[in-house]
PDB file of all heavy atoms in Angstrom:
ATOM      1  N   ALA A 255     -12.941  -4.078 -11.538  1.00  0.00           N
ATOM      2  CA  ALA A 255     -13.845  -4.163 -12.753  1.00  0.00           C
ATOM      3  C   ALA A 255     -14.282  -5.598 -12.796  1.00  0.00           C
ATOM      4  O   ALA A 255     -15.107  -5.776 -13.670  1.00  0.00           O
ATOM      5  CB  ALA A 255     -13.036  -3.547 -13.943  1.00  0.00           C
ATOM      6  N   ALA A 256     -13.502  -6.577 -12.321  1.00  0.00           N
ATOM      7  CA  ALA A 256     -13.796  -8.086 -12.610  1.00  0.00           C
ATOM      8  C   ALA A 256     -15.069  -8.483 -12.076  1.00  0.00           C
ATOM      9  O   ALA A 256     -15.767  -9.244 -12.695  1.00  0.00           O
ATOM     10  CB  ALA A 256     -12.649  -8.827 -11.984  1.00  0.00           C
ATOM     11  N   GLN A 257     -15.591  -7.973 -10.877  1.00  0.00           N
ATOM     12  CA  GLN A 257     -16.761  -8.298 -10.346  1.00  0.00           C
ATOM     13  C   GLN A 257     -17.374  -7.083  -9.662  1.00  0.00           C
ATOM     14  O   GLN A 257     -16.720  -6.233  -9.140  1.00  0.00           O
ATOM     15  CB  GLN A 257     -16.499  -9.378  -9.325  1.00  0.00           C
ATOM     16  CG  GLN A 257     -15.932 -10.800  -9.792  1.00  0.00           C
ATOM     17  CD  GLN A 257     -17.227 -11.514 -10.538  1.00  0.00           C
ATOM     18  OE1 GLN A 257     -18.440 -11.216 -10.304  1.00  0.00           O
ATOM     19  NE2 GLN A 257     -16.864 -12.582 -11.394  1.00  0.00           N
ATOM     20  N   ILE A 258     -18.744  -7.182  -9.639  1.00  0.00           N
ATOM     21  CA  ILE A 258     -19.423  -6.158  -8.641  1.00  0.00           C
ATOM     22  C   ILE A 258     -19.533  -6.757  -7.385  1.00  0.00           C
ATOM     23  O   ILE A 258     -20.213  -7.957  -7.132  1.00  0.00           O
ATOM     24  CB  ILE A 258     -20.825  -5.920  -9.347  1.00  0.00           C
ATOM     25  CG1 ILE A 258     -20.598  -5.164 -10.732  1.00  0.00           C
ATOM     26  CG2 ILE A 258     -21.590  -4.903  -8.498  1.00  0.00           C
ATOM     27  CD1 ILE A 258     -21.950  -4.948 -11.560  1.00  0.00           C
ATOM     28  N   GLY A 259     -19.065  -6.157  -6.317  1.00  0.00           N
ATOM     29  CA  GLY A 259     -19.111  -6.724  -4.946  1.00  0.00           C
ATOM     30  C   GLY A 259     -17.944  -6.123  -4.171  1.00  0.00           C
ATOM     31  O   GLY A 259     -17.312  -5.260  -4.579  1.00  0.00           O
ATOM     32  N   THR A 260     -17.624  -6.749  -3.091  1.00  0.00           N
ATOM     33  CA  THR A 260     -16.595  -6.254  -2.208  1.00  0.00           C
ATOM     34  C   THR A 260     -15.242  -6.878  -2.734  1.00  0.00           C
ATOM     35  O   THR A 260     -15.140  -8.121  -3.143  1.00  0.00           O
ATOM     36  CB  THR A 260     -16.848  -6.773  -0.790  1.00  0.00           C
ATOM     37  OG1 THR A 260     -18.092  -6.392  -0.385  1.00  0.00           O
ATOM     38  CG2 THR A 260     -15.775  -6.174   0.216  1.00  0.00           C
ATOM     39  N   VAL A 261     -14.323  -5.938  -2.642  1.00  0.00           N
ATOM     40  CA  VAL A 261     -12.908  -6.377  -3.297  1.00  0.00           C
ATOM     41  C   VAL A 261     -11.826  -6.028  -2.091  1.00  0.00           C
ATOM     42  O   VAL A 261     -11.793  -5.056  -1.476  1.00  0.00           O
ATOM     43  CB  VAL A 261     -12.540  -5.572  -4.433  1.00  0.00           C
ATOM     44  CG1 VAL A 261     -11.249  -6.020  -4.921  1.00  0.00           C
ATOM     45  CG2 VAL A 261     -13.655  -5.885  -5.563  1.00  0.00           C
ATOM     46  N   LEU A 262     -10.958  -7.067  -1.782  1.00  0.00           N
ATOM     47  CA  LEU A 262      -9.911  -6.876  -0.912  1.00  0.00           C
ATOM     48  C   LEU A 262      -8.579  -7.200  -1.816  1.00  0.00           C
ATOM     49  O   LEU A 262      -8.414  -8.348  -2.403  1.00  0.00           O
ATOM     50  CB  LEU A 262      -9.867  -7.859   0.281  1.00  0.00           C
ATOM     51  CG  LEU A 262     -11.143  -7.750   1.082  1.00  0.00           C
ATOM     52  CD1 LEU A 262     -11.100  -8.810   2.261  1.00  0.00           C
ATOM     53  CD2 LEU A 262     -11.273  -6.460   1.709  1.00  0.00           C
ATOM     54  N   VAL A 263      -7.633  -6.336  -1.750  1.00  0.00           N
ATOM     55  CA  VAL A 263      -6.408  -6.356  -2.557  1.00  0.00           C
ATOM     56  C   VAL A 263      -5.120  -6.025  -1.657  1.00  0.00           C
ATOM     57  O   VAL A 263      -5.097  -5.002  -0.889  1.00  0.00           O
ATOM     58  CB  VAL A 263      -6.392  -5.429  -3.803  1.00  0.00           C
ATOM     59  CG1 VAL A 263      -5.144  -5.708  -4.603  1.00  0.00           C
ATOM     60  CG2 VAL A 263      -7.655  -5.617  -4.620  1.00  0.00           C
ATOM     61  N   ALA A 264      -4.223  -7.002  -1.631  1.00  0.00           N
ATOM     62  CA  ALA A 264      -2.920  -6.683  -0.984  1.00  0.00           C
ATOM     63  C   ALA A 264      -2.185  -5.661  -1.852  1.00  0.00           C
ATOM     64  O   ALA A 264      -1.927  -5.728  -2.983  1.00  0.00           O
ATOM     65  CB  ALA A 264      -2.159  -7.931  -0.910  1.00  0.00           C
ATOM     66  N   ASN A 265      -1.684  -4.619  -1.113  1.00  0.00           N
ATOM     67  CA  ASN A 265      -1.011  -3.543  -1.861  1.00  0.00           C
ATOM     68  C   ASN A 265       0.266  -3.158  -1.198  1.00  0.00           C
ATOM     69  O   ASN A 265       0.260  -2.938   0.005  1.00  0.00           O
ATOM     70  CB  ASN A 265      -1.897  -2.278  -1.898  1.00  0.00           C
ATOM     71  CG  ASN A 265      -1.301  -1.158  -2.769  1.00  0.00           C
ATOM     72  OD1 ASN A 265      -0.909  -1.253  -3.795  1.00  0.00           O
ATOM     73  ND2 ASN A 265      -1.135   0.092  -2.060  1.00  0.00           N
ATOM     74  N   SER A 266       1.372  -3.051  -1.972  1.00  0.00           N
ATOM     75  CA  SER A 266       2.718  -2.730  -1.291  1.00  0.00           C
ATOM     76  C   SER A 266       2.842  -1.255  -1.237  1.00  0.00           C
ATOM     77  O   SER A 266       2.644  -0.521  -2.184  1.00  0.00           O
ATOM     78  CB  SER A 266       3.821  -3.372  -2.138  1.00  0.00           C
ATOM     79  OG  SER A 266       5.069  -2.929  -1.620  1.00  0.00           O
ATOM     80  N   THR A 267       3.202  -0.724  -0.043  1.00  0.00           N
ATOM     81  CA  THR A 267       3.475   0.703   0.113  1.00  0.00           C
ATOM     82  C   THR A 267       4.934   0.916   0.567  1.00  0.00           C
ATOM     83  O   THR A 267       5.496   0.054   1.224  1.00  0.00           O
ATOM     84  CB  THR A 267       2.512   1.378   1.221  1.00  0.00           C
ATOM     85  OG1 THR A 267       2.922   0.843   2.520  1.00  0.00           O
ATOM     86  CG2 THR A 267       1.031   1.027   0.825  1.00  0.00           C
ATOM     87  N   ASP A 268       5.405   2.176   0.288  1.00  0.00           N
ATOM     88  CA  ASP A 268       6.740   2.523   0.746  1.00  0.00           C
ATOM     89  C   ASP A 268       6.764   2.629   2.388  1.00  0.00           C
ATOM     90  O   ASP A 268       7.778   2.276   2.996  1.00  0.00           O
ATOM     91  CB  ASP A 268       7.168   3.777   0.000  1.00  0.00           C
ATOM     92  CG  ASP A 268       7.489   3.605  -1.378  1.00  0.00           C
ATOM     93  OD1 ASP A 268       7.755   2.465  -1.760  1.00  0.00           O
ATOM     94  OD2 ASP A 268       7.462   4.608  -2.124  1.00  0.00           O
ATOM     95  N   LYS A 269       5.772   3.264   2.827  1.00  0.00           N
ATOM     96  CA  LYS A 269       5.848   3.693   4.161  1.00  0.00           C
ATOM     97  C   LYS A 269       5.400   2.465   5.190  1.00  0.00           C
ATOM     98  O   LYS A 269       6.007   2.358   6.250  1.00  0.00           O
ATOM     99  CB  LYS A 269       4.766   4.759   4.577  1.00  0.00           C
ATOM    100  CG  LYS A 269       5.292   6.066   3.988  1.00  0.00           C
ATOM    101  CD  LYS A 269       4.315   7.215   4.333  1.00  0.00           C
ATOM    102  CE  LYS A 269       4.796   8.589   3.742  1.00  0.00           C
ATOM    103  NZ  LYS A 269       3.835   9.614   4.218  1.00  0.00           N
ATOM    104  N   LEU A 270       4.441   1.645   4.773  1.00  0.00           N
ATOM    105  CA  LEU A 270       3.901   0.636   5.680  1.00  0.00           C
ATOM    106  C   LEU A 270       4.043  -0.775   5.253  1.00  0.00           C
ATOM    107  O   LEU A 270       3.542  -1.634   5.931  1.00  0.00           O
ATOM    108  CB  LEU A 270       2.335   0.955   5.954  1.00  0.00           C
ATOM    109  CG  LEU A 270       2.113   2.325   6.509  1.00  0.00           C
ATOM    110  CD1 LEU A 270       0.488   2.505   6.591  1.00  0.00           C
ATOM    111  CD2 LEU A 270       2.704   2.494   7.881  1.00  0.00           C
ATOM    112  N   GLY A 271       4.693  -1.075   4.164  1.00  0.00           N
ATOM    113  CA  GLY A 271       4.838  -2.458   3.797  1.00  0.00           C
ATOM    114  C   GLY A 271       3.520  -2.827   3.054  1.00  0.00           C
ATOM    115  O   GLY A 271       2.834  -1.900   2.414  1.00  0.00           O
ATOM    116  N   THR A 272       3.167  -4.154   3.121  1.00  0.00           N
ATOM    117  CA  THR A 272       2.027  -4.577   2.414  1.00  0.00           C
ATOM    118  C   THR A 272       0.783  -4.397   3.372  1.00  0.00           C
ATOM    119  O   THR A 272       0.657  -4.827   4.424  1.00  0.00           O
ATOM    120  CB  THR A 272       2.135  -6.031   2.051  1.00  0.00           C
ATOM    121  OG1 THR A 272       3.296  -6.248   1.159  1.00  0.00           O
ATOM    122  CG2 THR A 272       0.913  -6.597   1.298  1.00  0.00           C
ATOM    123  N   VAL A 273      -0.182  -3.666   2.750  1.00  0.00           N
ATOM    124  CA  VAL A 273      -1.467  -3.364   3.479  1.00  0.00           C
ATOM    125  C   VAL A 273      -2.622  -3.957   2.505  1.00  0.00           C
ATOM    126  O   VAL A 273      -2.420  -4.157   1.381  1.00  0.00           O
ATOM    127  CB  VAL A 273      -1.568  -1.941   3.909  1.00  0.00           C
ATOM    128  CG1 VAL A 273      -0.494  -1.618   4.908  1.00  0.00           C
ATOM    129  CG2 VAL A 273      -1.746  -1.043   2.672  1.00  0.00           C
ATOM    130  N   VAL A 274      -3.807  -3.902   3.101  1.00  0.00           N
ATOM    131  CA  VAL A 274      -5.049  -4.335   2.391  1.00  0.00           C
ATOM    132  C   VAL A 274      -5.689  -2.989   1.818  1.00  0.00           C
ATOM    133  O   VAL A 274      -5.947  -2.172   2.730  1.00  0.00           O
ATOM    134  CB  VAL A 274      -5.909  -5.243   3.031  1.00  0.00           C
ATOM    135  CG1 VAL A 274      -7.099  -5.618   2.195  1.00  0.00           C
ATOM    136  CG2 VAL A 274      -5.122  -6.552   3.314  1.00  0.00           C
ATOM    137  N   VAL A 275      -6.212  -2.978   0.620  1.00  0.00           N
ATOM    138  CA  VAL A 275      -6.948  -1.852   0.039  1.00  0.00           C
ATOM    139  C   VAL A 275      -8.282  -2.383  -0.500  1.00  0.00           C
ATOM    140  O   VAL A 275      -8.357  -3.679  -0.800  1.00  0.00           O
ATOM    141  CB  VAL A 275      -6.315  -1.079  -0.859  1.00  0.00           C
ATOM    142  CG1 VAL A 275      -4.858  -0.462  -0.282  1.00  0.00           C
ATOM    143  CG2 VAL A 275      -5.961  -1.896  -2.170  1.00  0.00           C
ATOM    144  N   ASP A 276      -9.287  -1.468  -0.711  1.00  0.00           N
ATOM    145  CA  ASP A 276     -10.472  -2.017  -1.339  1.00  0.00           C
ATOM    146  C   ASP A 276     -10.283  -1.872  -2.862  1.00  0.00           C
ATOM    147  O   ASP A 276      -9.336  -1.644  -3.332  1.00  0.00           O
ATOM    148  CB  ASP A 276     -11.632  -1.264  -0.857  1.00  0.00           C
ATOM    149  CG  ASP A 276     -11.695   0.270  -1.146  1.00  0.00           C
ATOM    150  OD1 ASP A 276     -10.798   0.653  -2.032  1.00  0.00           O
ATOM    151  OD2 ASP A 276     -12.475   0.907  -0.709  1.00  0.00           O
ATOM    152  N   GLY A 277     -11.412  -2.109  -3.583  1.00  0.00           N
ATOM    153  CA  GLY A 277     -11.384  -2.181  -4.998  1.00  0.00           C
ATOM    154  C   GLY A 277     -11.012  -0.915  -5.696  1.00  0.00           C
ATOM    155  O   GLY A 277     -10.630  -0.842  -6.820  1.00  0.00           O
ATOM    156  N   GLN A 278     -11.317   0.237  -5.044  1.00  0.00           N
ATOM    157  CA  GLN A 278     -10.815   1.572  -5.493  1.00  0.00           C
ATOM    158  C   GLN A 278      -9.414   2.026  -4.967  1.00  0.00           C
ATOM    159  O   GLN A 278      -8.997   3.144  -5.286  1.00  0.00           O
ATOM    160  CB  GLN A 278     -11.802   2.502  -4.934  1.00  0.00           C
ATOM    161  CG  GLN A 278     -13.148   2.477  -5.653  1.00  0.00           C
ATOM    162  CD  GLN A 278     -14.100   1.356  -5.224  1.00  0.00           C
ATOM    163  OE1 GLN A 278     -14.194   1.121  -4.002  1.00  0.00           O
ATOM    164  NE2 GLN A 278     -14.594   0.604  -6.176  1.00  0.00           N
ATOM    165  N   GLY A 279      -8.795   1.061  -4.269  1.00  0.00           N
ATOM    166  CA  GLY A 279      -7.455   1.429  -3.815  1.00  0.00           C
ATOM    167  C   GLY A 279      -7.301   2.157  -2.555  1.00  0.00           C
ATOM    168  O   GLY A 279      -6.245   2.549  -2.113  1.00  0.00           O
TER     169      GLY A 279
END
């Protein structure tokens, strides 16, 4: 919601550790 454009977010998961997701998760 912060910006219109491409979003890359580090996300912690139980199965794979920290992976990258887009702005929609």
Side-chain angles (χ1 to χ4, degrees):
Q257 292 285 344
I258 297 174
T260 306
V261 178
L262 301 177
V263 181
N265 183 56
S266 180
T267 69
D268 291 336
K269 291 183 178 180
L270 301 177
T272 301
V273 301
V274 179
V275 299
D276 66 11
Q278 288 72 50

